[in-house]
Amino acid sequence: MDLKGFDRPGSPTSGETRSVKVMIAGGFGTGKTTMVRSVSDIKPLTTEETLTQASADVDHLVGVADKTQTTVSLDFGKISLNDTLMLYLFGTPGQERFWFLWNGLFKGALGAVVLVDTRRLASSFRAIEEMERQKVPFVIALNVFPDSRDYPVEEIRDALDISPRTPVVTFDARDRAASRDVLVTLIRHLKDRSTAALEPR
């Protein structure tokens, strides 16, 4: 995969590794922590806490009633896509009460993966709105759950109200190879956007 010039002008010097900050975002229970865990080359840093009765009135568990833990700050992992490209992965908290942390997490991010549960599309609307507000390029990753329905991609695009240029992929967040492919899709999307921006108009 040729990634020359996708993130900044010029070529890296011989042996230099480029580091890229990537956000893993999405609604509550869409699989963000699972993806970071499955794909990270290192043991990831997670900030999961047990859901208790005290949060029953603020954490909406519709569709994720079996969920017992939640991210309260961020998840962090990293993966080398090749000898010259390292991705630092920052997973966002999904619940509304922790959204105030997002502004700091997005600083310096080159791109993002927005995880979507097709059973609960509305849970990821806020993440998509935030990408557009922060002007962070993103791809949509449809995380497949056992009882997920298979919808045509165009229906998903319409429901999420996203650009035809935004890639939409289906994957299993538990699978390392599938999660890595999602990240490769994001990097290619960033490279394509960079190339298009440099074309004469």
Side-chain angles (χ1 to χ4, degrees), residues 5-200:
F6 81 93
D7 58 344
R8 65 175 186 264
S11 303
T13 59
S14 178
E16 180 186 355
T17 299
R18 289 177 174 171
S19 299
V20 176
K21 181 177 181 180
V22 170
M23 305 303 301
I24 309 297
F28 183 45
T30 53
K32 300 178 294 297
T33 299
T34 300
M35 179 180 179
V36 173
R37 280 180 173 157
S38 73
V39 80
S40 179
D41 289 338
I42 62 170
K43 183 179 180 180
L45 166 69
T46 61
T47 57
E48 285 197 312
E49 295 292 341
T50 301
L51 287 167
T52 67
Q53 189 60 38
S55 68
D57 292 334
V58 291
D59 292 327
H60 305 291
L61 300 180
V62 176
V64 286
D66 294 334
K67 189 170 175 60
T68 59
Q69 292 186 310
T70 184
T71 298
V72 297
S73 179
L74 62 86
D75 298 318
F76 173 79
K78 67 177 183 177
I79 178 175
S80 297
L81 290 187
N82 57 33
D83 291 339
T84 62
L85 184 61
M86 173 76 72
L87 302 187
Y88 289 97
L89 311 175
F90 289 78
T92 65
Q95 311 94 303
E96 185 173 350
R97 60 190 168 120
F98 296 125
W99 286 351
F100 70 92
L101 296 169
W102 283 27
N103 284 336
L105 289 176
F106 274 82
K107 186 175 181 180
L110 193 68
V113 174
V114 177
L115 270 65
V116 171
D117 178 352
T118 58
R119 303 168 304 173
R120 303 179 297 117
L121 287 178
S123 68
S124 289
F125 287 172
R126 173 65 167 78
I128 293 171
E129 291 171 357
E130 191 65 15
M131 300 303 147
E132 294 171 343
R133 187 180 75 83
Q134 301 261 9
K135 296 182 170 53
V136 176
F138 64 95
V139 300
I140 295 292
L142 307 177
N143 191 12
V144 177
F145 291 86
D147 56 345
S148 296
R149 287 182 56 188
D150 186 17
Y151 294 96
V153 170
E154 289 312 310
E155 285 189 20
I156 297 292
R157 286 188 186 282
D158 289 343
L160 297 177
D161 192 24
I162 58 174
S163 163
R165 296 184 297 276
T166 301
V168 178
V169 296
T170 299
F171 85 123
D172 184 336
R174 300 168 298 181
D175 184 89
R176 175 178 170 81
S179 295
R180 184 184 184 279
D181 287 346
V182 171
L183 295 171
V184 170
T185 297
L186 172 63
I187 295 303
R188 287 177 172 157
H189 179 52
L190 296 174
K191 183 172 183 263
D192 290 344
R193 284 172 54 95
S194 177
T195 300
L198 295 173
E199 291 177 352

